[in-house]
Amino acid sequence: MSDVLDVEYDVAVLLHCIYYFPTADVLSETLKALRPQVKTLCIAEYALQSSLLAQQAHVLAVLAQQALEALKPRGSSQSNVQTVLSPRAIIALASECGWSLVREKLITPDAALQDGKWEVGTVYSSQWVNDVDEVLGEEGGDHDRHKAHMMAARDATVAAVDSLSGEAHMGKGMDKVRTMDVWCAVFERS
């Protein structure tokens, strides 16, 4: 990045993009590349926590998607959820890259934000089961353990949605699913 940009900036913003990175190493490289040219770094990413019951399905769905992504060959994914890092993990990585946390806060998104419904819908869909089978390949070896993990993660997501409707009917609570809390942080160069 420094070869291209020979300017210093006051602020750089990473806004809901870390999950798209194929590995945590890509985030690390990005943070290192920004450091010489940026004074302040602002990050907003999903917090992996829910302050409302209606957000729990989103947290579970993202963790399920990450578990499946971890089994795919590196660089082969087109998923929105590829590398899920908690705020604590992002802070630690930023610190290793020369950034110091100045302040942080959590925000509960408005009900109109649809990300939670989209990501829960991905895990809810029958295509999810097909994707799991495709990624895991032939039975044998660790196939059964991984499949049990993926299906348990899906079942937990389904149960979280069902709890919103009060009925165990797949999908009835989907209209009540909310997007999980957002973690916002400001860092400065160390």
Side-chain angles (χ1 to χ4, degrees):
M1 194 180 291
S2 11
D3 295 344
V4 178
L5 304 172
D6 196 19
V7 174
E8 187 166 295
Y9 295 91
D10 292 330
V11 179
V13 178
L14 297 178
L15 179 63
H16 291 292
C17 61
I18 294 170
Y19 284 16
Y20 291 101
F21 291 1
T23 67
D25 291 341
V26 174
L27 176 59
S28 180
E29 292 167 13
T30 302
L31 295 175
K32 287 175 184 173
L34 289 171
R35 192 173 175 280
Q37 296 174 262
V38 176
K39 295 176 185 176
T40 302
L41 173 66
C42 299
I43 297 178
E45 192 53 83
Y46 290 115
L48 291 178
Q49 71 180 55
S50 55
S51 56
L52 304 170
L53 180 64
Q55 297 170 305
Q56 288 179 353
H58 186 207
V59 174
L60 293 167
V62 163
L63 293 173
Q65 289 182 59
Q66 170 63 63
L68 184 58
E69 288 300 312
L71 298 173
K72 292 180 180 179
R74 191 171 287 205
S76 68
S77 182
Q78 298 299 313
S79 175
N80 288 352
V81 178
Q82 294 184 39
T83 300
V84 175
L85 297 172
S86 68
R88 187 175 298 169
I90 295 168
I91 292 167
L93 190 63
S95 177
E96 291 171 14
C97 296
W99 294 96
S100 297
L101 180 66
V102 175
R103 64 185 172 275
E104 63 184 328
K105 76 183 247 180
L106 289 176
I107 298 171
T108 300
D110 186 87
L113 185 61
Q114 298 294 305
D115 293 42
K117 288 180 183 162
W118 297 333
E119 290 169 356
V120 168
T122 295
V123 175
Y124 235 91
S125 73
S126 59
Q127 184 60 45
W128 169 260
V129 178
N130 295 338
D131 290 346
V132 167
D133 287 335
E134 184 179 320
V135 168
L136 295 180
E138 298 293 319
E139 290 188 18
D142 286 333
H143 177 277
D144 292 344
R145 288 179 51 226
H146 290 306
K147 177 116 185 205
H149 177 204
M150 295 302 116
M151 293 302 101
R154 182 175 191 261
D155 290 346
T157 303
V158 168
V161 172
D162 287 349
S163 74
L164 298 175
S165 70
E167 297 179 44
H169 291 88
M170 206 165 175
K172 276 199 163 187
M174 189 64 83
D175 62 332
K176 295 178 181 159
V177 169
R178 294 273 304 263
T179 300
M180 74 174 91
D181 290 337
V182 175
W183 171 73
C184 301
V186 176
F187 296 87
E188 290 180 350
R189 286 187 294 217
S190 299

